mmCIF file of all heavy atoms in Angstrom:
data_model
loop_
_atom_site.group_PDB
_atom_site.id
_atom_site.type_symbol
_atom_site.label_atom_id
_atom_site.label_comp_id
_atom_site.label_asym_id
_atom_site.label_seq_id
_atom_site.Cartn_x
_atom_site.Cartn_y
_atom_site.Cartn_z
ATOM 1 N N PHE A 23 22.032 -4.629 91.828
ATOM 2 C CA PHE A 23 21.083 -3.879 92.641
ATOM 3 C C PHE A 23 20.519 -4.750 93.768
ATOM 4 O O PHE A 23 20.188 -4.249 94.838
ATOM 5 C CB PHE A 23 19.966 -3.331 91.759
ATOM 6 C CG PHE A 23 20.466 -2.404 90.676
ATOM 7 C CD1 PHE A 23 20.503 -2.813 89.354
ATOM 8 C CD2 PHE A 23 20.945 -1.138 91.001
ATOM 9 C CE1 PHE A 23 20.990 -1.982 88.361
ATOM 10 C CE2 PHE A 23 21.428 -0.286 90.009
ATOM 11 C CZ PHE A 23 21.463 -0.716 88.697
ATOM 12 N N PHE A 24 20.416 -6.046 93.507
ATOM 13 C CA PHE A 24 20.022 -6.991 94.539
ATOM 14 C C PHE A 24 21.041 -6.950 95.685
ATOM 15 O O PHE A 24 20.690 -6.976 96.864
ATOM 16 C CB PHE A 24 19.925 -8.391 93.925
ATOM 17 C CG PHE A 24 19.522 -9.485 94.877
ATOM 18 C CD1 PHE A 24 18.583 -9.275 95.865
ATOM 19 C CD2 PHE A 24 20.087 -10.733 94.783
ATOM 20 C CE1 PHE A 24 18.214 -10.299 96.736
ATOM 21 C CE2 PHE A 24 19.736 -11.768 95.642
ATOM 22 C CZ PHE A 24 18.806 -11.530 96.627
ATOM 23 N N LEU A 25 22.321 -6.848 95.327
ATOM 24 C CA LEU A 25 23.386 -6.787 96.316
ATOM 25 C C LEU A 25 23.238 -5.606 97.261
ATOM 26 O O LEU A 25 23.612 -5.670 98.436
ATOM 27 C CB LEU A 25 24.744 -6.699 95.623
ATOM 28 C CG LEU A 25 25.534 -7.999 95.449
ATOM 29 C CD1 LEU A 25 26.697 -7.776 94.496
ATOM 30 C CD2 LEU A 25 26.051 -8.497 96.780
ATOM 31 N N ARG A 26 22.713 -4.504 96.762
ATOM 32 C CA ARG A 26 22.622 -3.290 97.573
ATOM 33 C C ARG A 26 21.711 -3.447 98.780
ATOM 34 O O ARG A 26 21.736 -2.620 99.696
ATOM 35 C CB ARG A 26 22.142 -2.120 96.709
ATOM 36 C CG ARG A 26 23.141 -1.705 95.637
ATOM 37 C CD ARG A 26 22.623 -0.538 94.825
ATOM 38 N NE ARG A 26 23.527 -0.210 93.726
ATOM 39 C CZ ARG A 26 23.308 0.755 92.842
ATOM 40 N NH1 ARG A 26 22.202 1.503 92.941
ATOM 41 N NH2 ARG A 26 24.176 0.983 91.866
ATOM 42 N N GLY A 27 20.911 -4.483 98.796
ATOM 43 C CA GLY A 27 20.038 -4.719 99.937
ATOM 44 C C GLY A 27 20.772 -5.266 101.154
ATOM 45 O O GLY A 27 20.218 -5.298 102.253
ATOM 46 N N PHE A 28 22.035 -5.707 100.952
ATOM 47 C CA PHE A 28 22.822 -6.253 102.056
ATOM 48 C C PHE A 28 23.683 -5.167 102.703
ATOM 49 O O PHE A 28 24.103 -4.218 102.045
ATOM 50 C CB PHE A 28 23.753 -7.366 101.557
ATOM 51 C CG PHE A 28 23.052 -8.579 101.026
ATOM 52 C CD1 PHE A 28 22.885 -8.766 99.668
ATOM 53 C CD2 PHE A 28 22.566 -9.546 101.890
ATOM 54 C CE1 PHE A 28 22.248 -9.892 99.172
ATOM 55 C CE2 PHE A 28 21.928 -10.671 101.405
ATOM 56 C CZ PHE A 28 21.765 -10.846 100.046
ATOM 57 N N ARG A 29 23.923 -5.302 103.979
ATOM 58 C CA ARG A 29 24.906 -4.456 104.645
ATOM 59 C C ARG A 29 26.283 -4.722 104.053
ATOM 60 O O ARG A 29 26.611 -5.855 103.686
ATOM 61 C CB ARG A 29 24.938 -4.739 106.146
ATOM 62 C CG ARG A 29 23.747 -4.257 106.923
ATOM 63 C CD ARG A 29 23.788 -4.735 108.356
ATOM 64 N NE ARG A 29 25.057 -4.418 109.047
ATOM 65 C CZ ARG A 29 25.139 -3.872 110.239
ATOM 66 N NH1 ARG A 29 24.025 -3.558 110.893
ATOM 67 N NH2 ARG A 29 26.311 -3.648 110.814
ATOM 68 N N ARG A 30 27.107 -3.683 103.981
ATOM 69 C CA ARG A 30 28.460 -3.837 103.442
ATOM 70 C C ARG A 30 29.320 -4.741 104.311
ATOM 71 O O ARG A 30 30.222 -5.409 103.821
ATOM 72 C CB ARG A 30 29.133 -2.454 103.312
ATOM 73 C CG ARG A 30 28.509 -1.531 102.281
ATOM 74 C CD ARG A 30 29.109 -1.690 100.942
ATOM 75 N NE ARG A 30 28.532 -0.754 99.975
ATOM 76 C CZ ARG A 30 28.857 -0.716 98.675
ATOM 77 N NH1 ARG A 30 29.762 -1.530 98.201
ATOM 78 N NH2 ARG A 30 28.269 0.162 97.873
ATOM 79 N N ASP A 31 29.029 -4.766 105.625
ATOM 80 C CA ASP A 31 29.854 -5.555 106.532
ATOM 81 C C ASP A 31 29.265 -6.939 106.797
ATOM 82 O O ASP A 31 29.702 -7.637 107.720
ATOM 83 C CB ASP A 31 30.062 -4.820 107.859
ATOM 84 C CG ASP A 31 28.756 -4.522 108.601
ATOM 85 O OD1 ASP A 31 27.666 -4.774 108.035
ATOM 86 O OD2 ASP A 31 28.836 -4.047 109.752
ATOM 87 N N ALA A 32 28.270 -7.360 105.998
ATOM 88 C CA ALA A 32 27.705 -8.708 106.144
ATOM 89 C C ALA A 32 28.766 -9.743 105.788
ATOM 90 O O ALA A 32 29.641 -9.504 104.951
ATOM 91 C CB ALA A 32 26.481 -8.878 105.251
ATOM 92 N N HIS A 33 28.688 -10.915 106.424
ATOM 93 C CA HIS A 33 29.614 -11.982 106.069
ATOM 94 C C HIS A 33 29.371 -12.374 104.612
ATOM 95 O O HIS A 33 28.230 -12.560 104.193
ATOM 96 C CB HIS A 33 29.418 -13.196 106.977
ATOM 97 C CG HIS A 33 30.566 -14.179 106.908
ATOM 98 N ND1 HIS A 33 30.795 -14.971 105.808
ATOM 99 C CD2 HIS A 33 31.554 -14.474 107.789
ATOM 100 C CE1 HIS A 33 31.864 -15.733 106.017
ATOM 101 N NE2 HIS A 33 32.345 -15.449 107.206
ATOM 102 N N PRO A 34 30.440 -12.498 103.809
ATOM 103 C CA PRO A 34 30.252 -12.829 102.388
ATOM 104 C C PRO A 34 29.450 -14.102 102.148
ATOM 105 O O PRO A 34 28.765 -14.218 101.124
ATOM 106 C CB PRO A 34 31.694 -12.983 101.882
ATOM 107 C CG PRO A 34 32.515 -12.140 102.801
ATOM 108 C CD PRO A 34 31.849 -12.246 104.133
ATOM 109 N N MET A 35 29.500 -15.067 103.068
ATOM 110 C CA MET A 35 28.713 -16.292 102.875
ATOM 111 C C MET A 35 27.225 -16.027 103.019
ATOM 112 O O MET A 35 26.404 -16.673 102.362
ATOM 113 C CB MET A 35 29.163 -17.372 103.852
ATOM 114 C CG MET A 35 30.418 -18.102 103.424
ATOM 115 S SD MET A 35 30.229 -19.057 101.893
ATOM 116 C CE MET A 35 29.296 -20.477 102.468
ATOM 117 N N ALA A 36 26.852 -15.075 103.885
ATOM 118 C CA ALA A 36 25.447 -14.692 103.993
ATOM 119 C C ALA A 36 24.977 -14.065 102.687
ATOM 120 O O ALA A 36 23.880 -14.342 102.194
ATOM 121 C CB ALA A 36 25.251 -13.711 105.158
ATOM 122 N N VAL A 37 25.841 -13.227 102.117
ATOM 123 C CA VAL A 37 25.521 -12.575 100.850
ATOM 124 C C VAL A 37 25.446 -13.604 99.728
ATOM 125 O O VAL A 37 24.516 -13.593 98.909
ATOM 126 C CB VAL A 37 26.575 -11.498 100.525
ATOM 127 C CG1 VAL A 37 26.330 -10.900 99.142
ATOM 128 C CG2 VAL A 37 26.574 -10.409 101.594
ATOM 129 N N LEU A 38 26.425 -14.513 99.685
ATOM 130 C CA LEU A 38 26.469 -15.511 98.616
ATOM 131 C C LEU A 38 25.262 -16.438 98.670
ATOM 132 O O LEU A 38 24.714 -16.802 97.618
ATOM 133 C CB LEU A 38 27.763 -16.322 98.708
ATOM 134 C CG LEU A 38 28.036 -17.287 97.547
ATOM 135 C CD1 LEU A 38 28.199 -16.539 96.238
ATOM 136 C CD2 LEU A 38 29.277 -18.141 97.835
ATOM 137 N N THR A 39 24.831 -16.820 99.863
ATOM 138 C CA THR A 39 23.638 -17.660 100.002
ATOM 139 C C THR A 39 22.437 -16.990 99.350
ATOM 140 O O THR A 39 21.664 -17.617 98.618
ATOM 141 C CB THR A 39 23.346 -17.946 101.485
ATOM 142 O OG1 THR A 39 24.485 -18.559 102.092
ATOM 143 C CG2 THR A 39 22.153 -18.879 101.637
ATOM 144 N N GLY A 40 22.297 -15.683 99.605
ATOM 145 C CA GLY A 40 21.189 -14.933 99.009
ATOM 146 C C GLY A 40 21.316 -14.803 97.500
ATOM 147 O O GLY A 40 20.334 -14.941 96.763
ATOM 148 N N LEU A 41 22.542 -14.553 97.010
ATOM 149 C CA LEU A 41 22.758 -14.379 95.578
ATOM 150 C C LEU A 41 22.458 -15.658 94.797
ATOM 151 O O LEU A 41 21.820 -15.620 93.747
ATOM 152 C CB LEU A 41 24.199 -13.941 95.304
ATOM 153 C CG LEU A 41 24.593 -12.521 95.718
ATOM 154 C CD1 LEU A 41 26.083 -12.295 95.466
ATOM 155 C CD2 LEU A 41 23.776 -11.475 94.972
ATOM 156 N N VAL A 42 22.937 -16.788 95.324
ATOM 157 C CA VAL A 42 22.716 -18.063 94.619
ATOM 158 C C VAL A 42 21.229 -18.411 94.598
ATOM 159 O O VAL A 42 20.681 -18.797 93.573
ATOM 160 C CB VAL A 42 23.544 -19.190 95.260
ATOM 161 C CG1 VAL A 42 23.216 -20.525 94.595
ATOM 162 C CG2 VAL A 42 25.034 -18.900 95.137
ATOM 163 N N GLY A 43 20.569 -18.256 95.752
ATOM 164 C CA GLY A 43 19.128 -18.500 95.786
ATOM 165 C C GLY A 43 18.381 -17.548 94.876
ATOM 166 O O GLY A 43 17.395 -17.921 94.221
ATOM 167 N N GLY A 44 18.863 -16.293 94.797
ATOM 168 C CA GLY A 44 18.227 -15.285 93.962
ATOM 169 C C GLY A 44 18.322 -15.564 92.475
ATOM 170 O O GLY A 44 17.547 -15.018 91.683
ATOM 171 N N MET A 45 19.285 -16.417 92.071
ATOM 172 C CA MET A 45 19.425 -16.734 90.648
ATOM 173 C C MET A 45 18.153 -17.333 90.073
ATOM 174 O O MET A 45 17.870 -17.179 88.883
ATOM 175 C CB MET A 45 20.599 -17.690 90.425
ATOM 176 C CG MET A 45 21.963 -17.036 90.589
ATOM 177 S SD MET A 45 23.320 -18.215 90.345
ATOM 178 C CE MET A 45 23.248 -18.485 88.573
ATOM 179 N N ALA A 46 17.378 -18.012 90.921
ATOM 180 C CA ALA A 46 16.125 -18.608 90.449
ATOM 181 C C ALA A 46 15.154 -17.539 89.958
ATOM 182 O O ALA A 46 14.310 -17.798 89.093
ATOM 183 C CB ALA A 46 15.478 -19.432 91.567
ATOM 184 N N ALA A 47 15.279 -16.324 90.531
ATOM 185 C CA ALA A 47 14.401 -15.227 90.127
ATOM 186 C C ALA A 47 14.881 -14.554 88.845
ATOM 187 O O ALA A 47 14.120 -13.854 88.181
ATOM 188 C CB ALA A 47 14.316 -14.191 91.254
ATOM 189 N N PHE A 48 16.154 -14.746 88.490
ATOM 190 C CA PHE A 48 16.713 -14.123 87.302
ATOM 191 C C PHE A 48 16.796 -15.071 86.112
ATOM 192 O O PHE A 48 16.816 -14.639 84.968
ATOM 193 C CB PHE A 48 18.110 -13.573 87.613
ATOM 194 C CG PHE A 48 18.097 -12.401 88.551
ATOM 195 C CD1 PHE A 48 18.242 -12.590 89.912
ATOM 196 C CD2 PHE A 48 17.923 -11.114 88.085
ATOM 197 C CE1 PHE A 48 18.226 -11.512 90.793
ATOM 198 C CE2 PHE A 48 17.906 -10.037 88.952
ATOM 199 C CZ PHE A 48 18.053 -10.229 90.303
ATOM 200 N N TYR A 49 16.871 -16.360 86.385
ATOM 201 C CA TYR A 49 17.014 -17.352 85.328
ATOM 202 C C TYR A 49 15.906 -18.388 85.442
ATOM 203 O O TYR A 49 16.122 -19.524 85.853
ATOM 204 C CB TYR A 49 18.394 -18.003 85.400
ATOM 205 C CG TYR A 49 19.513 -16.988 85.325
ATOM 206 C CD1 TYR A 49 20.188 -16.580 86.480
ATOM 207 C CD2 TYR A 49 19.869 -16.404 84.120
ATOM 208 C CE1 TYR A 49 21.189 -15.624 86.413
ATOM 209 C CE2 TYR A 49 20.872 -15.449 84.051
ATOM 210 C CZ TYR A 49 21.523 -15.055 85.193
ATOM 211 O OH TYR A 49 22.515 -14.108 85.120
ATOM 212 N N HIS A 50 14.704 -17.950 85.097
ATOM 213 C CA HIS A 50 13.542 -18.830 85.209
ATOM 214 C C HIS A 50 12.939 -19.133 83.842
ATOM 215 O O HIS A 50 11.749 -19.425 83.726
ATOM 216 C CB HIS A 50 12.494 -18.216 86.144
ATOM 217 C CG HIS A 50 12.096 -16.808 85.807
ATOM 218 N ND1 HIS A 50 11.309 -16.485 84.727
ATOM 219 C CD2 HIS A 50 12.420 -15.638 86.393
ATOM 220 C CE1 HIS A 50 11.150 -15.180 84.662
ATOM 221 N NE2 HIS A 50 11.822 -14.630 85.661
ATOM 222 N N ASP A 51 13.776 -19.051 82.784
ATOM 223 C CA ASP A 51 13.284 -19.344 81.450
ATOM 224 C C ASP A 51 12.983 -20.824 81.265
ATOM 225 O O ASP A 51 12.156 -21.202 80.449
ATOM 226 C CB ASP A 51 14.284 -18.881 80.381
ATOM 227 C CG ASP A 51 15.710 -19.310 80.689
ATOM 228 O OD1 ASP A 51 16.067 -19.399 81.862
ATOM 229 O OD2 ASP A 51 16.484 -19.521 79.753
ATOM 230 N N GLY A 52 13.683 -21.668 82.002
ATOM 231 C CA GLY A 52 13.402 -23.096 81.946
ATOM 232 C C GLY A 52 13.110 -23.632 83.330
ATOM 233 O O GLY A 52 13.957 -23.573 84.216
ATOM 234 N N LEU A 53 11.922 -24.128 83.539
ATOM 235 C CA LEU A 53 11.523 -24.601 84.856
ATOM 236 C C LEU A 53 11.188 -26.087 84.890
ATOM 237 O O LEU A 53 10.958 -26.643 85.956
ATOM 238 C CB LEU A 53 10.318 -23.794 85.366
ATOM 239 C CG LEU A 53 10.581 -22.291 85.608
ATOM 240 C CD1 LEU A 53 9.277 -21.581 85.953
ATOM 241 C CD2 LEU A 53 11.604 -22.099 86.719
ATOM 242 N N ASP A 54 11.167 -26.724 83.725
ATOM 243 C CA ASP A 54 10.856 -28.145 83.658
ATOM 244 C C ASP A 54 12.151 -28.945 83.746
ATOM 245 O O ASP A 54 12.800 -29.234 82.738
ATOM 246 C CB ASP A 54 10.122 -28.465 82.350
ATOM 247 C CG ASP A 54 9.765 -29.955 82.236
ATOM 248 O OD1 ASP A 54 9.907 -30.674 83.253
ATOM 249 O OD2 ASP A 54 9.373 -30.393 81.138
ATOM 250 N N TYR A 55 12.536 -29.314 84.961
ATOM 251 C CA TYR A 55 13.820 -29.956 85.149
ATOM 252 C C TYR A 55 13.790 -31.452 84.875
ATOM 253 O O TYR A 55 14.784 -32.154 85.099
ATOM 254 C CB TYR A 55 14.359 -29.645 86.546
ATOM 255 C CG TYR A 55 14.686 -28.171 86.692
ATOM 256 C CD1 TYR A 55 13.864 -27.321 87.428
ATOM 257 C CD2 TYR A 55 15.777 -27.626 86.032
ATOM 258 C CE1 TYR A 55 14.144 -25.972 87.520
ATOM 259 C CE2 TYR A 55 16.059 -26.268 86.124
ATOM 260 C CZ TYR A 55 15.240 -25.450 86.869
ATOM 261 O OH TYR A 55 15.528 -24.096 86.950
ATOM 262 N N SER A 56 12.671 -31.929 84.357
ATOM 263 C CA SER A 56 12.636 -33.280 83.805
ATOM 264 C C SER A 56 13.276 -33.307 82.420
ATOM 265 O O SER A 56 13.606 -34.370 81.896
ATOM 266 C CB SER A 56 11.194 -33.794 83.730
ATOM 267 O OG SER A 56 10.422 -33.006 82.828
ATOM 268 N N ASP A 57 13.459 -32.116 81.827
ATOM 269 C CA ASP A 57 14.080 -31.968 80.516
ATOM 270 C C ASP A 57 15.602 -31.896 80.691
ATOM 271 O O ASP A 57 16.123 -31.008 81.368
ATOM 272 C CB ASP A 57 13.558 -30.698 79.844
ATOM 273 C CG ASP A 57 14.041 -30.538 78.406
ATOM 274 O OD1 ASP A 57 15.178 -30.944 78.102
ATOM 275 O OD2 ASP A 57 13.294 -29.973 77.594
ATOM 276 N N ALA A 58 16.331 -32.822 80.078
ATOM 277 C CA ALA A 58 17.781 -32.898 80.236
ATOM 278 C C ALA A 58 18.466 -31.611 79.776
ATOM 279 O O ALA A 58 19.468 -31.190 80.378
ATOM 280 C CB ALA A 58 18.333 -34.088 79.461
ATOM 281 N N LYS A 59 17.951 -30.994 78.721
ATOM 282 C CA LYS A 59 18.552 -29.767 78.209
ATOM 283 C C LYS A 59 18.400 -28.621 79.210
ATOM 284 O O LYS A 59 19.328 -27.836 79.415
ATOM 285 C CB LYS A 59 17.923 -29.376 76.868
ATOM 286 C CG LYS A 59 18.624 -28.202 76.185
ATOM 287 C CD LYS A 59 20.070 -28.544 75.813
ATOM 288 C CE LYS A 59 20.766 -27.375 75.125
ATOM 289 N NZ LYS A 59 22.206 -27.702 74.841
ATOM 290 N N VAL A 60 17.239 -28.534 79.855
ATOM 291 C CA VAL A 60 17.002 -27.500 80.868
ATOM 292 C C VAL A 60 17.953 -27.703 82.048
ATOM 293 O O VAL A 60 18.510 -26.737 82.585
ATOM 294 C CB VAL A 60 15.528 -27.516 81.327
ATOM 295 C CG1 VAL A 60 15.315 -26.554 82.497
ATOM 296 C CG2 VAL A 60 14.596 -27.142 80.175
ATOM 297 N N ARG A 61 18.160 -28.946 82.428
ATOM 298 C CA ARG A 61 19.084 -29.242 83.527
ATOM 299 C C ARG A 61 20.509 -28.856 83.143
ATOM 300 O O ARG A 61 21.249 -28.286 83.952
ATOM 301 C CB ARG A 61 19.024 -30.720 83.916
ATOM 302 C CG ARG A 61 17.706 -31.180 84.510
ATOM 303 C CD ARG A 61 17.844 -32.502 85.259
ATOM 304 N NE ARG A 61 18.411 -33.562 84.445
ATOM 305 C CZ ARG A 61 17.729 -34.372 83.661
ATOM 306 N NH1 ARG A 61 16.410 -34.219 83.565
ATOM 307 N NH2 ARG A 61 18.321 -35.328 82.963
ATOM 308 N N GLU A 62 20.907 -29.152 81.911
ATOM 309 C CA GLU A 62 22.257 -28.823 81.457
ATOM 310 C C GLU A 62 22.492 -27.317 81.482
ATOM 311 O O GLU A 62 23.556 -26.850 81.909
ATOM 312 C CB GLU A 62 22.488 -29.354 80.036
ATOM 313 C CG GLU A 62 23.908 -29.082 79.534
ATOM 314 C CD GLU A 62 24.099 -29.426 78.060
ATOM 315 O OE1 GLU A 62 23.130 -29.868 77.412
ATOM 316 O OE2 GLU A 62 25.223 -29.228 77.550
ATOM 317 N N ILE A 63 21.505 -26.551 81.044
ATOM 318 C CA ILE A 63 21.630 -25.091 81.046
ATOM 319 C C ILE A 63 21.825 -24.584 82.474
ATOM 320 O O ILE A 63 22.677 -23.713 82.729
ATOM 321 C CB ILE A 63 20.389 -24.443 80.389
ATOM 322 C CG1 ILE A 63 20.370 -24.743 78.882
ATOM 323 C CG2 ILE A 63 20.361 -22.933 80.630
ATOM 324 C CD1 ILE A 63 19.074 -24.348 78.193
ATOM 325 N N ALA A 64 21.049 -25.127 83.412
ATOM 326 C CA ALA A 64 21.176 -24.725 84.819
ATOM 327 C C ALA A 64 22.564 -25.077 85.364
ATOM 328 O O ALA A 64 23.171 -24.299 86.108
ATOM 329 C CB ALA A 64 20.090 -25.392 85.656
ATOM 330 N N GLN A 65 23.076 -26.249 84.991
ATOM 331 C CA GLN A 65 24.401 -26.671 85.448
ATOM 332 C C GLN A 65 25.484 -25.717 84.953
ATOM 333 O O GLN A 65 26.346 -25.288 85.726
ATOM 334 C CB GLN A 65 24.689 -28.099 84.957
ATOM 335 C CG GLN A 65 23.826 -29.170 85.608
ATOM 336 C CD GLN A 65 23.815 -30.460 84.822
ATOM 337 O OE1 GLN A 65 24.680 -30.701 83.980
ATOM 338 N NE2 GLN A 65 22.819 -31.303 85.060
ATOM 339 N N ILE A 66 25.443 -25.387 83.672
ATOM 340 C CA ILE A 66 26.445 -24.494 83.092
ATOM 341 C C ILE A 66 26.338 -23.108 83.717
ATOM 342 O O ILE A 66 27.360 -22.476 84.039
ATOM 343 C CB ILE A 66 26.295 -24.416 81.555
ATOM 344 C CG1 ILE A 66 26.584 -25.778 80.916
ATOM 345 C CG2 ILE A 66 27.207 -23.340 80.973
ATOM 346 C CD1 ILE A 66 27.981 -26.302 81.159
ATOM 347 N N ARG A 67 25.129 -22.630 83.920
ATOM 348 C CA ARG A 67 24.945 -21.315 84.537
ATOM 349 C C ARG A 67 25.554 -21.271 85.934
ATOM 350 O O ARG A 67 26.243 -20.312 86.295
ATOM 351 C CB ARG A 67 23.455 -20.971 84.606
ATOM 352 C CG ARG A 67 22.883 -20.459 83.294
ATOM 353 C CD ARG A 67 21.385 -20.279 83.363
ATOM 354 N NE ARG A 67 20.890 -19.566 82.182
ATOM 355 C CZ ARG A 67 19.626 -19.491 81.836
ATOM 356 N NH1 ARG A 67 18.704 -20.115 82.574
ATOM 357 N NH2 ARG A 67 19.262 -18.832 80.751
ATOM 358 N N LEU A 68 25.339 -22.298 86.710
ATOM 359 C CA LEU A 68 25.861 -22.310 88.072
ATOM 360 C C LEU A 68 27.389 -22.362 88.091
ATOM 361 O O LEU A 68 28.041 -21.592 88.812
ATOM 362 C CB LEU A 68 25.276 -23.496 88.849
ATOM 363 C CG LEU A 68 23.875 -23.240 89.415
ATOM 364 C CD1 LEU A 68 23.146 -24.545 89.687
ATOM 365 C CD2 LEU A 68 23.967 -22.410 90.700
#
């Protein structure tokens, strides 16, 4: 549904930039990146 906010003819890199940045709004269960486990989860997700 987040995708629907973009024009269909937008350059895919413009869309991808928004999608990757938007992941922070969907995966915010761990925000303490001083914790190695939290960092590992973020790495695997990406």
